[in-house]
Amino acid sequence: MALPRWGCGYQDCEAGVIWRTGAACEICAEVVQDKAAARQRERRTAQGLCPEHGTRPGPSGHCAACELDDAIARPAPAVVRQRVPDGPPRGSCGDWVCGSC
């Protein structure tokens, strides 16, 4: 009877160890880290803390670190370019008197 496999699905991986080399499987290590992070977020949420940073939320419902992250992630405001008028620049009419120079 075969033992049940645990791991990432990589053929040489068994329980987070690569059989050929004996090295730790990087994919399994990432899965373990992701699961630990999810458990930590759940604990923080149950405690009424920010799930990402573990700090108390402010009046807005977000913690200060989340608000800073949002501010950093926002695109910079568009720079409005000054409109360039059509035609020759003022004062460059030459000898002709147009009345607008």
Side-chain angles (χ1 to χ4, degrees):
M1 187 172 208
L3 295 173
R5 293 184 60 86
W6 177 90
C8 60
Y10 181 58
Q11 287 295 82
D12 287 345
C13 175
E14 180 63 40
V17 177
I18 305 296
W19 280 13
R20 282 184 288 127
T21 62
C25 176
E26 292 178 17
I27 297 170
C28 287
E30 287 181 22
V31 169
V32 169
Q33 288 174 348
D34 290 345
K35 287 181 180 182
R39 284 191 305 270
Q40 184 180 40
R41 284 191 299 274
E42 289 173 10
R43 279 193 306 271
R44 288 176 174 173
T45 301
Q47 294 171 349
L49 302 174
C50 171
E52 296 300 318
H53 302 102
T55 56
R56 293 255 176 235
S60 67
H62 299 286
C63 75
C66 284
E67 290 175 359
L68 180 61
D69 290 346
D70 290 345
I72 292 171
R74 278 188 219 121
V79 176
V80 179
R81 291 182 25 181
Q82 186 175 7
R83 189 175 88 69
V84 178
D86 295 333
R90 270 191 103 115
S92 66
C93 295
D95 293 335
W96 184 66
V97 179
C98 63
S100 65
C101 296

